[in-house]
């Protein structure tokens, strides 16, 4: 057990207020909140200019989530959501973190602030350096910064002693150049934020369907008969998805929601793009809500599958799509044999549901073939996370609901270009075909040994097997599990480097030496030697499109991510055949190299200039499963949860507030759950609270239990909530310290942030 340090947010309460949970999401309140954030951070005129350009075909991509934009017509002034507006307000803020700021505030003093307070300090304007033993960052030139990094890298005993982390906000061009630099340096240590979110999806989908991405397009929601949303809260995390679900309902489709918490956005929403409906009752979305216990998903899906099988046996051909199964799939018999080994009586208690409710879900699945299944981290961050997604695929394969309009898989990705990063080669387990293409194009010998993912990287730094950490974007300490363990790992490094737009906690949990390198934001103009540049990104449905900022950079010393990577590579690599300066001078040249080495990017520079961009190839969308080991879509055998709780134990999952995206805290409210001005809370079932002798807003300490290890966070307020018994929920990053570093998903190694075994103990002193 680690002692609490400044790696965790301070244990101070901020004045909680509980309100009635709203009956609808979005609407006038969301519009007003978004505009308030934008005008407060940027001013009125600048704010309107930003919103007008965000997610438009001639504008810049939202730095928030990866939800796709419509292929055709887009809303004139509202092709964004409330949290997208908050994200761009944060990026374009008037507040600046200058060298004077760093000389005024020590690292120790900044560490005492909350993550919200740190983020609100503003944009970083100059590269700064923290020498060994110092407590104040000081201004440094770019050349000096690159030299410090290069010297550290080149003094390592092995390239594998360096970690090169990538965040999902990085552009395709920067990501491609980054992985090229790292592999020419000699390692595949390229962990990224996918390792902590949708890695389980990629593993499951690649095995079963031959592609680690979803198969649907945005337009498919217009044609779906049934959409199943499981383990996801789009009202907060992907609000524009509600419009797509609204189109499903308008066209006669049905929606099943499966989640431990009822989420307002999936119950009813008011479309912000339709002013005439702003003051109406809104549109009902969910037709059937299944409030499953945390990690009861496989058990629930197995019951659904068993009931489907029973109905097929009674009336052959009425449920299963036998033509699709025979022509396109493999493994049905083995899958059905395993399904028969489970009884509904065994599975049902794991779900927390009545069988009659599950029967209603089966009715909808059986009677429809155009089925889309959407999911997010509610499924991907469990020990059996890969099983969760594979079991979803089993349902779709039985129905033949793949590769047809209105049907397929829809993993809803998080950060705006997290999928593009992987396409560009940001992966610790690269395919040999990709490395072969790099070697042929750039005339070097690429490393073949697999590198570290996020969890492996943390362990390597902790055990001093890695000595340099370089982060291209992101807030590593706040995004990762086991906060104190990760902090110790970072502090063991000789050098930590972060490429960032804004100040965050990772800048304060540093190695012996530390650098912060400020980069351009998505909304800012990018001028290089050949003139003004644009970048490209890939959304969660495989559309690659351009993004071009239009604001003047907030500081004269900012560099683009491309320029930073190229500048560092030029100084570090003594024998590189790559002309890094030339590539950074004109991003078309980078796109030429992408076209030469990555399938699907033919005529890249021509197609990326087409408004709206282009779709990458997707074999599952085309019902071609040659990419799998069997050459067919594969049924799979999966296991339900094996977790056994003691009487006083609970399963805890970490969640986001509505004023949050990933680790960025925009405010202190979670209005869709009725919690204002506080983040240190734990949601509990009222019967569990009574059993523990707890009352509303009692102050508690939470202890997580993993094998013989315990981890504790103190000072959380208890809130009675509509959540299944023996289930609890807390916000991250405040509760990340409870997630054990060695508790990871099978096959994907994703941290199990949604299945943490905890006990809750009342503090003697009240809030």
């Amino acid at each position: 057990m680690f002692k609490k340090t400044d790696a965790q947010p301070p244990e101070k309460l901020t004045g909680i207020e509980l309100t009635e949970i709203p009956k609808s999401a979005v609407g006038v309140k969301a519009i007003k909140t978004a505009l308030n954030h934008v005008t407060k951070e940027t001013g009125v005129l600048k704010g309107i200019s930003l919103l007008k350009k965000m997610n438009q075909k001639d504008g810049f991509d939202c730095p928030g989530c990866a939800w796709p934009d419509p292929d055709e017509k887009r809303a004139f002034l509202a092709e964004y959501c409330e949290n997208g507006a908050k994200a761009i307000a944060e990026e374009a803020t008037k507040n600046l973190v200058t060298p004077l700021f760093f000389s005024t505030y020590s690292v120790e003093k900044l560490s005492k602030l909350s993550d919200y307070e740190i983020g609100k300090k503003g944009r970083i304007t100059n590269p700064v350096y923290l020498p060994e033993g110092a407590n104040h960052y000081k201004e440094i030139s770019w050349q000096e910064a690159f030299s410090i990094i290069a010297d550290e890298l080149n003094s390592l005993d092995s390239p594998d002693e360096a970690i090169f982390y990538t965040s999902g906000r990085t552009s395709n061009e920067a990501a491609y150049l980054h992985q090229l630099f790292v592999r020419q340096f000699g390692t595949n240590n390229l962990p990224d934020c996918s390792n902590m979110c949708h890695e389980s999806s990629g593993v499951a989908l690649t095995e079963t369907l031959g592609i680690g991405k979803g198969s649907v397009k945005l337009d498919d929601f217009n044609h779906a008969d049934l959409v199943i949303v499981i383990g996801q809260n789009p009202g907060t995390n992907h609000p524009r998805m509600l419009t797509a679900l609204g189109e499903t309902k308008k066209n006669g489709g049905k929606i099943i929601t499966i989640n431990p918490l009822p989420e307002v956005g999936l119950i009813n929403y008011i479309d912000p793009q339709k002013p005439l409906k702003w003051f109406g009752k809104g549109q009902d979305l969910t037709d059937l809500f299944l409030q499953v216990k945390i990690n009861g998903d496989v058990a629930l899906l197995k019951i659904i599958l068993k009931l489907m099988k029973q109905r097929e046996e009674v009336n052959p051909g009425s449920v299963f799509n036998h033509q699709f199964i025979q022509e396109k799939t493999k493994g049905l018999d083995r899958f059905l044999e395993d399904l028969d080994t489970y009884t509904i009586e065994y599975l049902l208690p794991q779900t927390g549901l009545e069988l009659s409710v599950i029967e209603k879900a089966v009715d909808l699945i059986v009677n429809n073939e155009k089925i889309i299944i959407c999911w997010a981290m509610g499924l991907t961050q469990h020990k059996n996370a890969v099983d969760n997604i594979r079991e979803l695929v089993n349902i779709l394969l039985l129905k033949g609901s793949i590769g047809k309009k209105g049907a397929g898989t829809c993993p809803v990705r998080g950060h705006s270009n997290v999928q593009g990063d992987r396409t560009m080669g940001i992966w610790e387990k690269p395919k040999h075909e990709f490395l072969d293409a790099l070697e042929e194009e750039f005339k070097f010998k690429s490393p073949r040994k697999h590198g570290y993912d996020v969890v492996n990287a943390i362990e390597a730094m902790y055990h001093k097997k890695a000595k340099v950490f370089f982060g291209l974007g992101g807030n590593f300490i706040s995004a990762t599990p086991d906060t104190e363990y990760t902090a110790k790992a970072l502090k063991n490094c000789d050098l930590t480097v972060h490429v960032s737009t804004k100040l965050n906690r990772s800048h304060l949990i540093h190695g012996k030496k530390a650098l912060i390198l400020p980069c351009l934001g998505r909304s800012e103009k990018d001028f290089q030697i050949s003139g003004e540049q644009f970048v490209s990104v890939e959304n969660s449905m495989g559309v690659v499109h351009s993004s071009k900022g239009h604001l003047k950079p907030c500081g004269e010393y900012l560099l683009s991510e491309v320029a930073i990577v190229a500048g560092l590579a030029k100084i570090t690599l003594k024998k590189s055949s790559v002309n890094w300066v030339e590539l950074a001078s004109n991003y078309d040249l980078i796109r030429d190299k992408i076209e030469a080495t990555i399938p699907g990017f033919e005529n890249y520079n021509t197609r990326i200039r087409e408004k709206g961009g282009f779709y990458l190839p997707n074999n599952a969308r085309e019902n071609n499963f040659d990419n799998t080991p069997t050459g067919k879509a594969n049924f799979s055998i999966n296991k339900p949860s094996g977790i056994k709780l003691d009487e006083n134990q609970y399963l805890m999952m970490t969640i986001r507030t509505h004023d949050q995206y990933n680790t960025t805290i925009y405010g202190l409210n979670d209005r869709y759950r009725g919690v204002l001005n506080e983040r240190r809370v734990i949601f509990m079932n009222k019967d569990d609270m009574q059993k523990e002798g707890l009352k509303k807003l009692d102050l508690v300490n939470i202890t997580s239990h993993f094998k013989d290890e315990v981890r504790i966070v103190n000072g959380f307020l208890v809130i009675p909530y509509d959540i299944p018994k023996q289930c609890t929920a807390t916000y991250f990053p405040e509760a990340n310290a409870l997630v054990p570093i060695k508790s990871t998903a099978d096959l994907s190694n994703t941290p199990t942030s949604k299945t943490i075994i905890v006990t809750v103990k009342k503090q003697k002193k009240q809030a």
Side-chain angles (χ1 to χ4, degrees):
M1 184 174 70
F2 293 94
K3 183 180 177 182
K4 169 77 167 63
T5 69
D6 293 330
Q8 295 182 41
E11 297 172 4
K12 60 183 181 182
L13 301 178
T14 46
I16 192 169
E17 179 184 349
L18 300 182
T19 66
E20 184 178 352
I21 296 173
K23 293 180 172 59
S24 294
V26 197
V28 174
K29 179 69 173 179
I31 296 169
K32 182 179 178 181
T33 302
L35 292 177
N36 283 343
H37 272 269
V38 171
T39 55
K40 182 179 178 180
E41 294 285 350
T42 69
V44 176
L45 295 179
K46 183 179 178 182
I48 292 175
S49 173
L50 280 166
L51 296 178
K52 187 177 177 180
K53 285 288 188 181
M54 188 157 65
N55 292 329
Q56 298 298 331
K57 293 182 179 180
D58 60 346
F60 61 90
D61 190 57
C62 174
C65 79
W67 188 254
D69 308 308
D71 288 338
E72 304 301 330
K73 185 178 179 181
R74 299 186 184 177
F76 170 66
L77 193 58
E79 200 55 69
Y80 53 86
C81 67
E82 176 186 340
N83 273 356
K86 292 173 185 175
I88 201 60
E90 292 277 311
E91 178 177 284
T93 180
K94 296 176 290 186
N95 299 325
L96 301 178
V97 176
T98 64
L100 177 61
F101 174 93
F102 283 113
S103 66
T104 304
Y105 295 96
S106 68
V107 171
E108 182 180 4
K109 189 171 184 178
L110 290 171
S111 297
K112 306 301 181 185
L113 302 177
S114 68
D115 287 35
Y116 169 67
E117 292 169 325
I118 292 171
K120 286 299 180 183
K121 295 303 179 185
R123 289 287 301 276
I124 303 167
T125 61
N126 299 67
V128 290
Y129 176 52
L130 186 70
E132 186 170 1
N135 201 22
H136 285 265
Y137 279 98
K138 64 177 185 179
E139 185 178 4
I140 191 174
S141 71
W142 281 104
Q143 191 68 22
E144 290 174 307
F146 291 151
S147 295
I148 290 171
I149 302 169
D151 288 346
E152 288 289 342
L153 290 175
N154 288 324
S155 67
L156 296 174
D157 293 332
S158 164
D160 291 331
E161 291 182 336
I163 307 292
F164 297 91
Y165 174 76
T166 314
S167 142
R169 61 142 280 151
T170 308
S171 69
N172 284 342
E173 291 75 12
Y176 184 82
L177 223 58
H178 185 54
Q179 64 82 27
L180 178 62
F181 159 55
V182 172
R183 292 192 165 106
Q184 288 213 338
F185 178 66
T187 184
N188 283 313
N189 286 348
L190 281 159
D192 75 320
C193 52
S194 283
N195 297 149
M196 295 180 286
C197 54
H198 270 286
E199 195 71 52
S200 301
S201 299
V203 171
L205 293 174
T206 299
E207 175 188 330
T208 56
L209 302 177
I211 184 171
K213 305 177 183 182
S215 66
V216 301
K217 297 180 179 180
L218 183 59
D219 181 62
D220 285 312
F221 284 85
N222 296 322
H223 304 279
D225 296 325
L226 175 65
V227 177
I228 301 174
V229 182
I230 178 170
Q232 187 191 0
N233 175 21
T236 284
N237 301 323
H238 310 89
R240 287 195 297 160
M241 181 178 170
L242 301 182
T243 301
L245 295 175
E247 290 301 308
T248 299
K249 291 295 302 258
K250 187 176 74 174
N251 292 319
K254 301 291 185 181
I255 296 173
I256 297 174
T257 297
I258 304 172
N259 202 53
L261 295 177
E263 301 289 7
V264 174
L266 283 167
I267 297 170
N268 182 284
Y269 98 113
I270 299 171
D271 192 339
Q273 296 182 0
K274 298 177 180 178
L276 295 179
K277 296 186 178 181
W278 284 358
F279 301 98
K281 64 177 183 178
Q283 182 180 18
D284 293 333
L285 292 180
T286 295
D287 295 283
L288 180 65
F289 174 46
L290 278 66
Q291 191 170 19
V292 68
K293 284 185 175 180
I294 294 173
N295 201 217
D297 305 285
V298 172
L300 169 60
L301 297 172
K302 280 193 181 300
I303 294 173
I304 290 173
L305 287 160
K306 286 183 70 69
L307 294 174
M308 290 171 63
K309 180 174 180 286
Q310 288 177 12
R311 297 191 190 190
E312 172 67 19
E313 290 170 345
V314 171
N315 190 3
S318 64
V319 179
F320 295 177
N321 186 328
H322 289 284
Q323 181 179 353
F324 177 89
I325 292 170
Q326 183 176 358
E327 293 178 359
K328 298 293 183 180
T329 74
K330 192 173 182 64
L332 175 67
D333 291 342
R334 184 166 168 263
F335 157 71
L336 293 177
E337 287 171 6
D338 178 76
L339 191 60
D340 286 340
T341 65
Y342 294 92
T343 65
I344 290 177
E345 291 73 22
Y346 168 76
L347 297 167
L348 194 60
Q350 297 184 40
T351 70
L353 295 165
E354 297 290 334
L355 184 59
S356 59
V357 178
I358 302 175
E359 291 270 15
K360 292 179 181 178
V362 175
D363 289 340
L364 289 169
I365 294 169
V366 164
N367 293 318
N368 294 286
E369 286 193 357
K370 292 189 292 183
I371 302 171
I372 296 173
I373 304 183
C374 309
W375 69 91
M377 288 187 286
L379 288 195
T380 65
Q381 294 182 323
H382 302 273
K383 182 170 179 55
N384 62 341
V386 173
D387 297 63
N388 282 336
I389 287 90
R390 292 191 305 204
E391 207 76 296
L392 295 178
V393 173
N394 285 336
I395 291 176
L396 294 175
L397 294 182
L398 288 177
K399 296 293 298 178
S401 298
I402 292 281
K404 63 174 62 173
K405 187 179 288 289
T409 56
C410 184
V412 183
R413 306 302 298 265
H415 225 147
S416 59
N417 197 40
V418 62
Q419 188 159 294
D421 281 355
R422 183 58 56 87
T423 302
M424 292 296 105
I426 300 293
W427 195 20
E428 73 281 358
K429 301 173 184 175
K431 293 182 178 179
H432 286 293
E433 296 86 348
F434 175 66
L435 298 182
D436 290 343
L438 287 181
E439 290 183 356
E440 182 177 351
E441 182 67 24
F442 295 102
K443 312 305 180 190
F444 78 107
K445 189 66 177 176
S446 179
R448 299 282 167 155
K449 183 179 74 172
H450 287 175
Y452 296 134
D453 61 17
V454 165
V455 169
N456 297 149
I458 294 169
E459 291 177 324
M461 291 186 289
Y462 184 85
H463 293 292
K464 299 183 179 181
K465 294 179 181 179
K467 299 176 182 177
V468 174
F469 175 90
F470 183 93
L472 188 59
N475 181 0
F476 192 76
I477 189 67
S478 295
T480 46
D482 216 335
T483 307
E484 296 301 337
Y485 186 99
T486 302
K488 182 68 164 61
L490 289 168
K491 290 177 179 180
N492 281 344
C493 291
D494 293 331
L495 175 68
T496 51
V497 184
H498 295 277
V499 178
S500 305
T501 55
K502 295 180 63 205
L503 194 67
N504 64 55
R505 189 166 297 278
S506 291
H507 303 143
L508 313 176
I509 309 301
H510 54 79
K512 295 182 181 67
K513 294 174 282 187
L515 282 160
I516 307 174
L517 308 181
C519 66
L520 295 173
R522 285 270 176 87
S523 59
E524 293 171 321
K525 294 181 178 180
D526 181 356
F527 283 96
Q528 301 299 330
I529 295 173
S530 67
E532 189 173 2
Q533 306 296 310
F534 68 88
V535 296
S536 60
V537 295
E538 178 186 348
N539 66 37
S540 64
M541 292 180 183
V543 179
V544 179
H545 60 95
S546 64
S547 176
K548 184 177 182 179
H550 73 287
L551 292 180
K552 180 182 177 182
C554 70
E556 62 178 305
Y557 297 105
L558 302 186
L559 293 182
S560 71
E561 290 174 314
V562 166
I564 292 171
V565 173
L568 177 58
K570 181 178 182 295
I571 292 179
T572 304
L573 304 176
K574 305 301 183 183
K575 298 180 180 180
S576 176
S577 61
V578 177
N579 189 330
W580 299 98
V581 173
E582 183 181 48
L583 289 177
S585 72
N586 184 344
Y587 298 176
D588 278 355
L589 301 178
I590 303 174
R591 288 186 282 269
D592 286 340
K593 298 299 184 182
I594 294 171
E595 177 182 340
T597 52
I598 302 178
F601 286 87
E602 295 78 13
N603 301 314
Y604 193 5
N605 273 310
T606 298
R607 291 194 292 162
I608 198 60
R609 286 173 165 80
E610 297 173 0
K611 290 192 173 183
F614 60 92
Y615 282 90
L616 290 175
N618 189 302
N619 64 276
R621 192 176 288 158
E622 303 299 325
N623 261 334
N624 179 346
F625 305 109
D626 291 345
N627 293 345
T628 72
T630 65
K632 298 286 186 75
N634 294 304
F635 284 96
S636 57
I637 294 174
N638 306 295
K639 294 181 180 180
S641 174
I643 295 175
K644 304 293 184 184
L645 296 176
D646 293 340
E647 180 65 23
N648 68 329
Q649 290 182 332
Y650 303 89
L651 271 188
M652 188 191 82
M653 61 179 181
T654 60
I655 58 177
R656 303 171 186 169
T657 72
H658 192 64
D659 268 358
Q660 172 181 2
Y661 195 77
N662 293 338
T663 60
T664 304
I665 313 299
Y666 304 131
L668 298 177
N669 296 337
D670 193 5
R671 73 172 188 273
Y672 288 166
R673 298 190 183 104
V675 181
L676 305 182
N677 202 43
E678 186 56 74
R679 295 185 53 81
R680 298 188 70 82
V681 303
I682 177 170
F683 298 101
M684 293 185 70
N685 180 283
K686 63 180 182 180
D687 292 338
D688 290 333
M689 289 177 58
Q690 185 176 10
K691 182 185 71 175
E692 295 285 347
L694 297 172
K695 297 179 181 179
K696 182 170 67 175
L697 299 186
D698 273 349
L699 204 59
V700 299
N701 300 334
I702 309 170
T703 302
S704 75
H705 304 267
F706 178 75
K707 298 182 178 179
D708 295 326
E709 304 169 358
V710 295
R711 292 161 176 79
I712 301 175
V713 294
N714 299 317
F716 280 65
L717 294 164
V718 180
I719 297 177
Y721 209 77
D722 185 4
I723 188 170
K725 289 182 180 180
Q726 281 198 288
C727 296
T728 67
T730 54
Y731 300 137
F732 77 85
E734 286 79 5
N736 283 359
L738 297 172
V739 186
I741 190 69
K742 293 186 180 299
S743 181
T744 60
D746 295 334
L747 301 179
S748 69
N749 210 33
T750 297
T752 59
S753 299
K754 295 292 187 287
T755 42
I756 309 161
I757 298 175
V758 302
T759 52
V760 180
K761 186 176 181 180
K762 183 178 178 179
Q763 280 192 2
K764 293 180 180 180
K765 184 178 179 181
Q766 296 295 303

